[in-house]
Amino acid sequence: MRYFIDHDHGDSIRGWIVPDNPLAISRVMVSVGGQRVAEIPASVTDEAFKRNGWHATGQCTFVVTPAEVPGLPDIARLELYDADTNVLVYRRMPPDGLVRLRTMLINTGIEPETALQAALFPHFQHCYFGIHKLPDEILTCVLAGPAAPSAFLSGAVTIPRYENFMTPDLMITAILVQDPYTEMATRMLWLKARAGDALDPTRGWRLGPLAEAASFSGDYDFTDVKSLKRYFRMLPEPAYRLLYNPLTRQLGTRMPEDRLHPGNSIAAIEILARVGIVGHKTRYHAFASTLFDQLGIHAPVPVPPPVPAETQALAERLRTVKAVEEMLVFDVAMSDAVKDSIDKSWS
């Protein structure tokens, strides 16, 4: 799916959605106050979509007017969603107090940065969380959306693949680096918590290739060092890929299946140097304060949720396992470099 918003003149909102099915007619859902009030099909044909090979008929453009949504000019807040994918394509909000910048928070953990997302959400017209889960065409539309100058995006995107959308002239970029051992512990416990789902045919499909890793993790005792050593000796490929230098993989490769080698660590450091704001989870206040200052937001810095005691304990055990040290050597080097840089520059 591709989409674009041409205008919002108050009494008229016009845009286009090209569905994945070239024979289908796209439909936009209008939501007001959390309630869906109208479903509007594309009604305008544009031959350009046919010429470009995007659609069989070119009937992709929709127009929202008071005829479909009574009182449209007076509605201060509304949202438009693609009816087939439920992807937000446009949000109307009062302009007062909005940050007029496109901002990307690059998540490096398996768990999203919910505290920052919640704190920044009210300050932007458009917000997209977990964008790495979107199909490539939709993600490209979200990243390249010049018609949405007030936009906050976050997700664990593979940066080399999309870095051309993240240049300083297009958006502010920010990345929060995790402690590698804490992040590995978080990922292992994330897998273990889904072991039951992996064994259930009605739910296991949602984990995709990680179903095998989750099922495998459920058989090991993470509180026992001997069990941990066996765990890393017997890791199946999907688990190894999830746990092996994940930050280096995210910064230094273009595709999830790419092999990771020492050269990727050099590329990862170079890409990290091009990110606008670089922070570390253990220096959270410095990162959040810098981000808020860059965005011109005058609000209290959010407090991140504490690391669960189980995760902290597992992270400490992992520091004693030789195999883990070898699996995180690139990420540890980057993590230490980021912390050293912050400590030297932040006071």
Side-chain angles (χ1 to χ4, degrees), residues 157-225:
V157 292
T158 303
I159 301 178
R161 187 174 180 183
Y162 299 105
E163 193 182 13
N164 59 307
F165 297 111
M166 302 182 192
T167 54
D169 59 315
L170 298 177
M171 64 173 60
I172 290 176
T173 53
I175 188 169
L176 190 60
V177 174
Q178 312 292 318
D179 173 80
Y181 289 96
T182 303
E183 178 60 23
M184 177 178 275
T186 302
R187 291 176 180 236
M188 290 170 62
L189 292 170
W190 186 92
L191 287 172
K192 194 175 186 67
R194 287 155 180 78
D197 290 346
L199 298 174
D200 185 340
T202 64
R203 293 179 293 173
W205 63 271
R206 297 177 181 174
L207 292 169
L210 290 178
E212 178 188 3
S215 175
F216 170 81
S217 299
D219 295 333
Y220 287 82
D221 179 7
F222 291 164
T223 65
D224 180 72
V225 174

Side-chain angles (χ1 to χ4, degrees), residues 93-123:
M93 289 182 64
D96 296 341
L98 290 180
V99 174
R100 308 297 292 180
L101 295 167
R102 293 178 60 78
T103 304
M104 163 66 83
L105 174 62
I106 302 164
N107 293 148
T108 61
I110 197 168
E111 300 288 357
E113 297 296 338
T114 53
L116 278 171
Q117 290 179 177
L120 292 173
F121 178 82
H123 299 280

Side-chain angles (χ1 to χ4, degrees), residues 31 43 51 69 84 94 125 132 178 180 191 203-204 207 220-221 303 316 336 340 344:
S31 175
S43 57
R51 289 197 302 270
V69 183
D84 293 326
Q125 181 177 1
H132 59 284
Q178 312 292 318
L191 287 172
R203 293 179 293 173
L207 292 169
Y220 287 82
D221 179 7
V303 178
E316 291 306 311
D336 289 345
D340 289 344
K344 291 176 181 177

Side-chain angles (χ1 to χ4, degrees), residues 244-246 248-249 252-253 258-262 264-265 330:
Y244 181 73
N245 289 300
T248 303
R249 182 179 298 281
T253 63
D258 287 352
R259 291 180 62 85
L260 196 61
H261 51 77
N264 293 115
S265 67
F330 303 145

